[in-house]
Amino acid sequence: MTNTAVPFPACEHRKYSFSITNSEELPSNDETTNSTPNYSSMSPVRSTESNENSSISSSFFKPITKHILSTRTDFKSSSSMPSSSDSSPKMRSSTTIPSDLNHLPKLQKQTSTAMTPTPETIDVNFNFDATYLQVRELAHINCNYFSQQKNDICRKFERLLTQLLHSLELTLPLIRYLIDNFHHFDYSPEIRANGYRTLVVSHGHACLRTLDILRQVDVKRAGILFNLMHSSKLFQDLNSWTKVLTSMQHMLSFAVKILGVTDKKSLYIDVTQVPMDIELDYFKIVAFDSENFFGSTCGFQFAQSLETMITFILAGLAAYHETYNRSIPFAAASLATAPKYILFPEQRAAKCGAIFRDCDYLFCKSFWNLVEHDFIKRGSRYIAPNVTVSKYFRIGPQPIVIDSIIIPPPTASADVDEPNEPPAGNIGSGSDSPTSSGTMQSKQFVNIKLLSHEMREGMDKLPLKKSDFETSSKKILPMSDQLLMHIHGGGFIATSSTTHEVYLKPWALGLEIPIVSVDYSLAPEYPFPRAIEECFYAYAWILKNASKLGWTGKTLLLVGDSAGGNLITVVTIKAIEAGLRKPDGIICFYTPFLLRYSISPSRLMAVMDPLLNTGFLWRCLAAYTGIKSDDQLVSPTVSGNSTPEKQRKIDSTRASPNQIVSEEEDIPEPTKLEVKDIYHARLAEIMGSRQAYFLRKLRESPLPSHPHMSPLCASDDILRQFPTTHLVPCARDPFIDDNVEFARRLRTLNVPHHLVVVDEWPHGYLDYGFAANDLEQYNTGIMIMLQNIVQQSNR
């Protein structure tokens, strides 16, 4: 198997030495203080430990060219970094990527030019030595200066700097301990990525920002205008970053605690093995530290180019909460004051912190579904390019029979309180009323969308109308050998294929193959397992009706992002269980593979994530599981015959998550009841009684441990039959640990797989390409990666 690099747009690499070598307080570590490795002497990096006889080559699976997070422009020039970082060569693509996505190049018949491999890792070469030393040195210097002054402003700075120094003093030993244990949790020596690394790197980036503020204070403190012009702004900035570092100190302390109770083999920890006090510390971080990350410091762990977008999203979240379910006059008045959340970061932080902590999933669903508004959809037409065929239709309700295997239509019922659904068309009757995931479904129908860059043979069997053609074309191409089935993300509660057209249409044009996207029904109206039933039915329908889609039936690839990645994995599991044809490959972008209540270091990143916050994660899971806002627990029937209907859980006595045993119905002893009551009482003190009861229901629900919700819980027999699996997680994502652990499972079972870690970008970056030019270029590189997958699968 040969490796070649994926051509990506030009991007800068900054090389840093990842170590802490302040010998006065922390001993040096030979393992972590080595200089930058000699990449030229390394053997070609393989992001898979799969069978050599895999039918799909890994030619593109050298690590994707990573755009390591550059420091912000306001401190890039002043940070004390090794001179080699400024002289690092720029990595340039071997092909020119056109900006006009309507005329993307056809698939190249030859692979791209080979490039020297670099390790897939999370800033493993990031040198925080100089940064930490300078932060402490400048903090000491400034603190000594202000301690000799007598005015109130100087006293405030002195107290703040003392707090900063104290936080660093407590944090550095924690970082040293985590660095010493990084290697236990890496996928491989070449692919070094996990939640522990991400936490430490994020703290380092926060220190870089703090260093810049300290330098400004050092330069301006003695000036005549300091008290009049600079002190207020600098104090606010320094206070914000000190809060971030203090909150991250709590997170790192918690990471060290959970590392102490793990066997250093798995990134996920069974909560039943975690002491009560340690688990409650996690809820304290969620309740009291989260809002410190949503002010002027929001999104600091991501690329600088996304800072404006993240600020506007959080300001919009705060303003929308004020208008939510309010009368029109009140809503208009609140909306008029929305700019305050941009101008005053402290108000935005407090408001967003309260929203993430206290809102219900109906609000989360409502906010995320703003992108479904007609005005937003009209605007998206100017962002996404046009394709030739863009066709909505509905399939069902007849059972599908393939090789004597019967796939019934979806049968899981909706919530009893659901509103009446609007009428919609059916492919059999020739109707094509536009639908989306947010619309109410008939019991046995599924909405899907076909996107194609050109009309293909067989598509005339569909009831196509003039409105289904976005561009005119006289060409009728032969059937394609490949087809891409796509399932969108959105936390199982929001968005649709339409909102994901910002990258689906460029894919249809660039890949030049038909794409079928499933608009599955959303929770909480349609909880688990309705979405799975619809996606599996759509999968079977595609296999049965290949010719109608302009597809020869040769190669079928499944792709999904976030919740969609979870669903395509479950569809694969169900196909294996039913004995149906498996997909030829699956591609999962930043996917959650473990939905059950658990603790991992990357889940801590959700505390500070402005786009995928802990509060939203809990509520999405509750909605999908069937936990209602009125605290009633719905237990839907689980389809599939491979798992007994009796609820199951992972046996905590086993190290691997693939061994599943029946749950025993133990009768709690008085002592256990007392401890449990104490736990919930303390949880109520931290989170409030309503949230504590909500979390209790979420923790006690057995459904998230089902393999059809958490593919990481699937048995070895099922996973061993998986097709080639491509995992593309984000390093700064709460789900990075899910992907590392899933890749480990596949490796132990000798399943062909590829793990490609994307640094710098946030969860959902495929949808944010319009927000920044560099992210748009990176997404174009992702499409080139898909081109290589399609090309390899055709061999």
Side-chain angles (χ1 to χ4, degrees), residues 107-286:
L107 291 176
Q108 302 294 325
K109 294 184 179 179
Q110 297 180 350
T111 57
S112 57
T113 305
M115 301 169 67
T116 302
T118 56
E120 287 245 346
T121 186
I122 308 308
D123 280 359
V124 71
N125 303 315
F126 203 117
N127 186 349
F128 296 135
D129 281 354
T131 303
Y132 285 128
L133 289 174
Q134 289 181 61
V135 168
R136 290 195 295 176
E137 180 182 357
L138 275 177
H140 275 298
I141 292 173
N142 286 317
C143 188
N144 291 335
Y145 172 83
F146 288 120
S147 66
Q148 299 173 9
Q149 310 302 314
K150 297 182 179 180
N151 59 58
D152 292 338
I153 294 177
C154 292
R155 290 193 184 96
K156 289 170 60 178
F157 271 100
E158 180 188 2
R159 289 193 294 269
L160 185 58
L161 290 166
T162 301
Q163 180 183 350
L164 173 61
L165 287 168
H166 179 66
S167 175
L168 288 176
E169 182 181 356
L170 296 176
T171 302
L172 293 182
L174 303 174
I175 293 177
R176 163 58 60 206
Y177 181 78
L178 293 176
I179 289 176
D180 289 344
N181 288 278
F182 278 169
H183 63 282
H184 293 296
F185 304 97
D186 291 329
Y187 172 83
S188 69
E190 293 79 24
I191 304 179
R192 291 167 281 184
N194 57 66
Y196 293 113
R197 288 187 181 274
T198 302
L199 284 170
V200 172
V201 168
S202 297
H203 186 273
H205 285 300
C207 281
L208 284 173
R209 298 297 300 269
T210 306
L211 178 60
D212 177 64
I213 304 300
L214 291 173
R215 284 177 173 154
Q216 293 184 49
V217 172
D218 186 48
V219 171
K220 299 176 181 179
R221 70 190 183 200
I224 299 175
L225 300 179
F226 178 75
N227 289 345
L228 296 177
M229 296 182 59
H230 304 301
S231 61
S232 177
K233 178 64 167 60
L234 289 175
F235 182 84
Q236 289 179 6
D237 291 343
L238 185 59
N239 185 46
S240 295
W241 287 108
T242 300
K243 288 181 178 179
V244 165
L245 291 175
T246 302
S247 296
M248 292 211 69
Q249 170 212 321
H250 300 156
M251 296 166 66
L252 291 165
S253 176
F254 181 80
V256 169
K257 290 178 182 177
I258 62 175
L259 186 57
V261 300
T262 183
D263 56 6
K264 296 184 180 179
K265 294 181 180 179
S266 174
L267 286 162
Y268 282 94
I269 303 169
D270 188 343
V271 291
T272 62
Q273 305 300 316
V274 178
M276 180 178 67
D277 288 343
I278 294 180
E279 186 181 358
L280 290 173
D281 284 343
Y282 170 67
F283 292 109
K284 291 177 183 177
I285 293 172
V286 173

Side-chain angles (χ1 to χ4, degrees), residues 294-314:
F294 306 136
S296 58
T297 63
C298 65
F300 74 91
Q301 68 270 37
F302 303 126
Q304 174 192 357
S305 57
L306 300 181
E307 183 178 5
T308 300
M309 181 200 75
I310 293 173
T311 299
F312 274 92
I313 289 177
L314 288 178

Side-chain angles (χ1 to χ4, degrees), residues 4-15:
T4 58
V6 180
F8 263 68
C11 58
E12 179 182 355
H13 279 275
R14 298 179 63 86
K15 294 184 179 180

Side-chain angles (χ1 to χ4, degrees), residues 236-441:
Q236 289 179 6
D237 291 343
L238 185 59
N239 185 46
S240 295
W241 287 108
T242 300
K243 288 181 178 179
V244 165
L245 291 175
T246 302
S247 296
M248 292 211 69
Q249 170 212 321
H250 300 156
M251 296 166 66
L252 291 165
S253 176
F254 181 80
V256 169
K257 290 178 182 177
I258 62 175
L259 186 57
V261 300
T262 183
D263 56 6
K264 296 184 180 179
K265 294 181 180 179
S266 174
L267 286 162
Y268 282 94
I269 303 169
D270 188 343
V271 291
T272 62
Q273 305 300 316
V274 178
M276 180 178 67
D277 288 343
I278 294 180
E279 186 181 358
L280 290 173
D281 284 343
Y282 170 67
F283 292 109
K284 291 177 183 177
I285 293 172
V286 173
F288 305 125
D289 290 316
S290 185
E291 73 177 52
N292 294 332
F293 299 101
F294 306 136
S296 58
T297 63
C298 65
F300 74 91
Q301 68 270 37
F302 303 126
Q304 174 192 357
S305 57
L306 300 181
E307 183 178 5
T308 300
M309 181 200 75
I310 293 173
T311 299
F312 274 92
I313 289 177
L314 288 178
L317 174 69
Y320 183 72
H321 188 266
E322 291 191 357
T323 66
Y324 183 62
N325 285 339
R326 300 296 181 93
S327 62
I328 293 179
F330 186 91
S334 298
L335 192 61
T337 62
K340 69 181 179 183
Y341 292 118
I342 298 177
L343 300 175
F344 303 102
E346 296 81 6
Q347 293 187 33
R348 180 177 72 242
K351 182 70 173 180
C352 290
I355 292 172
F356 288 134
R357 184 173 56 250
D358 301 325
C359 70
D360 58 21
Y361 50 64
L362 294 177
F363 172 80
C364 301
K365 179 184 179 77
S366 178
F367 178 72
W368 281 354
N369 272 330
L370 286 176
V371 294
E372 294 287 337
H373 196 280
D374 289 341
F375 291 108
I376 302 296
K377 288 182 178 180
R378 293 192 190 106
S380 67
R381 296 175 184 174
Y382 298 98
I383 299 174
N386 290 329
V387 294
T388 298
V389 179
S390 178
K391 169 69 177 177
Y392 278 105
F393 53 91
R394 300 178 65 181
I395 58 177
Q398 297 81 11
I400 298 173
V401 181
I402 302 177
D403 297 332
S404 73
I405 301 173
I406 301 176
I407 297 89
T411 57
S413 59
D415 181 40
V416 295
D417 298 326
E418 65 168 318
N420 293 328
E421 59 180 306
N426 176 277
I427 185 173
S429 61
S431 179
D432 58 346
S433 300
T435 58
S436 70
S437 297
T439 60
M440 288 298 173
Q441 303 273 29

Side-chain angles (χ1 to χ4, degrees), residues 83-103:
S83 58
S84 61
S85 65
D86 296 327
S87 60
S88 299
K90 291 187 176 182
M91 306 285 286
R92 298 189 179 277
S93 74
S94 58
T95 58
T96 302
I97 308 301
S99 58
D100 184 2
L101 295 179
N102 284 302
H103 301 86

